Amino acid sequence: KKVDEALEGSPEAAPEADAEGAEAGEKGAEAAPGAAASEEMALYTKYDFIPGDKVIFFDDLSGEEIGEFPSRWNLDEGVFEVVQQGSRSWILCTDEGRIAPRVAAGPLPPKYTFELDFYNKGPEFKGHWIRIHWFDAENDDIGNFRIQDKIHTNLRILNKDLASKQLPRELSAGVHTMRIMATKSTIKCYIDNERVANVPAVEGFHPTSIRVYMDPWLDEPANPMLVGNVRFAEGGKTLKEQLDEAG
């Protein structure tokens, strides 16, 4: 607003005031880079996911035998196998169920991230349902983050919906990514670069494991349900922490 006023000046200004107007214009020009920087920062901080730097679990399905159950996972229920599409291996789900990465049981790190890729066939096909679940020490399901029908997302913690956001548009054909960045009391969730949940405080939430639920559309044989490239890591520095380290 100050820049606009400086450029417009007073409607009754006399010719001799041109120098003052020019000076104000110069000040406005000097302010422009700052305004641009603020705009860039706003765009950058909207997507603030920082992957953890201490990997707890990673599976790109390398070395797995096609047609077999993925060896780095445990089965809760359902039917899963390793398949190859193009040059990449995936976990294929052919019947609704849930799998868990093989990691030591215990409280999750104070700060962690979880990521997985999933494949979307395209606009002419239905969108599969994928959920990332949290379980506690009693093996109770205490929360989940989900994507369904290629556009609807939801974060549910302790039997309460904390976020239900619809994406700006249906997901395009190809590979997409679900991401979680969490601490003991905060949770942020993302689909690709879109943040879809931002919970500043969660009480009484004490997960000890993470599992992946998959529910395919069985009436579309040409629309396989695929997930892969799963990464679970401790850490995940905030933008402020990164700036503080950089000085």
Side-chain angles (χ1 to χ4, degrees), residues 6-7 20-30:
L7 292 176
E20 294 179 5
E23 182 180 355
E26 291 174 1
K27 291 181 179 179
E30 291 174 358

Side-chain angles (χ1 to χ4, degrees), residues 22 28-29 36 46 50 57-58 63 78 84-85 93 111 117 126 165 168 184-185 190 195 205 212 223 225 233 241:
K46 184 177 181 181
I50 307 295
F57 176 88
F58 175 73
Q84 188 165 358
Q85 180 172 261
C93 176
K111 184 181 294 185
D117 289 349
K126 299 174 185 175
K165 182 173 182 178
K184 287 184 176 296
S185 60
Y190 311 77
R195 188 168 65 195
F205 183 63
V212 177
N223 181 19
M225 184 172 194
E241 289 171 335

